[in-house]
Amino acid sequence: METRKQIAAEKLQCGSHNCAQAIVSTYADIIGIDETTAKNLASAFGGGMGTMEGTCGALVGAGIVLGMVTQDRAKARTGMRQIMTRFQQKNGATQCKLLKGVGTHVVLRECSGCVADAAEFLEEQLNKKDE
């Protein structure tokens, strides 16, 4: 059985979704929206919020999902902080251009890996919510 982590990474790899869309659409059923709406909701957040200057779109997508699931600002912020910390520890950055090696020529993580990591860390937070 495929995990959501694998499904999200595949959506990115096939080119049909950007990194944020891959995350949000993979969890569309959990947040109560259809996949087309999810894809549109996250369309501007791929590639470091569209410019590579911002936070990795996969992380932004995870934040959207987390906010919709928790429906609580404090819980969402705490959970997102934990996701960001785990992502930073694993990959060395959270900013898209640093992850892609823009300016440094050292790629820290490929986009599909970023999506998989964001999904994994999101799953951990969603599981905590159920505890």
Side-chain angles (χ1 to χ4, degrees):
M1 184 171 117
E2 273 190 314
T3 64
R4 287 185 191 262
K5 174 180 172 175
Q6 293 166 322
I7 293 166
E10 287 172 8
K11 286 181 179 185
L12 178 77
Q13 288 172 329
C14 77
S16 63
H17 296 68
N18 70 35
C19 47
Q21 291 172 319
I23 295 289
V24 178
S25 68
T26 298
Y27 292 88
D29 62 317
I30 290 176
I31 62 176
I33 61 176
D34 64 89
E35 285 199 39
T36 300
T37 300
K39 194 172 175 182
N40 290 334
L41 175 69
S43 62
F45 299 113
M49 297 191 203
T51 65
M52 294 186 85
E53 294 292 329
T55 301
C56 169
L59 288 169
V60 175
I64 291 169
V65 172
L66 192 60
M68 290 294 291
V69 170
T70 63
Q71 296 190 10
D72 180 284
R73 182 172 52 180
K75 288 179 184 175
R77 290 178 76 173
T78 298
M80 194 63 217
R81 186 176 313 115
Q82 292 173 3
I83 291 170
M84 296 280 289
T85 298
R86 294 280 319 275
F87 192 94
Q88 172 77 35
Q89 289 170 340
K90 182 170 185 178
N91 298 307
T94 59
Q95 186 182 21
C96 182
K97 76 177 183 179
L98 297 175
L99 290 161
K100 302 288 105 239
V102 175
T104 65
H105 305 290
V106 176
V107 176
L108 299 176
R109 190 78 161 135
E110 295 294 334
C111 293
S112 60
C114 290
V115 168
D117 293 342
E120 177 182 337
F121 304 145
L122 173 60
E123 289 281 336
E124 290 172 2
Q125 292 304 310
L126 295 177
N127 290 335
K128 284 182 183 179
K129 179 203 161 283
D130 294 335
E131 293 175 353

